[in-house]
Amino acid sequence: MGLLDNVGDQVAKHSDKIDDAIDRGGDFIDDRTDGKHADRVDQGQDFLRDKADDLAGRDEPRRQA
């Protein structure tokens, strides 16, 4: 079992906490910028979720509204 396998397992195991952290980070940025960059923040959050899905080995990415 390689290092990336272990990372992927941990990402899959803690995906709910990772999603929460991505949401909180985006909310923080939106608060600090008064929502001026909300579209870019949303794109960044989607990107991070897709990368987490890749690490977890998910074939179909999850989408959070």
Side-chain angles (χ1 to χ4, degrees):
M1 184 176 222
L3 178 63
L4 287 181
D5 293 332
N6 188 31
V7 170
D9 291 342
Q10 292 300 314
V11 169
K13 183 177 178 181
H14 299 288
S15 63
D16 56 335
K17 292 179 183 178
I18 292 169
D19 285 340
D20 184 48
I22 292 170
D23 288 337
R24 285 186 291 133
D27 291 345
F28 176 80
I29 294 169
D30 281 337
D31 287 344
R32 299 291 266 187
T33 62
D34 294 325
K36 291 178 185 175
H37 306 286
D39 292 338
R40 295 293 222 163
V41 171
D42 290 342
Q43 288 177 345
Q45 288 173 311
D46 289 341
F47 176 82
L48 290 173
R49 282 190 189 93
D50 288 345
K51 293 305 165 189
D53 288 342
D54 289 347
L55 281 173
R58 290 189 183 96
D59 291 334
E60 295 182 21
R62 298 169 288 125
R63 289 289 172 197
Q64 187 169 359

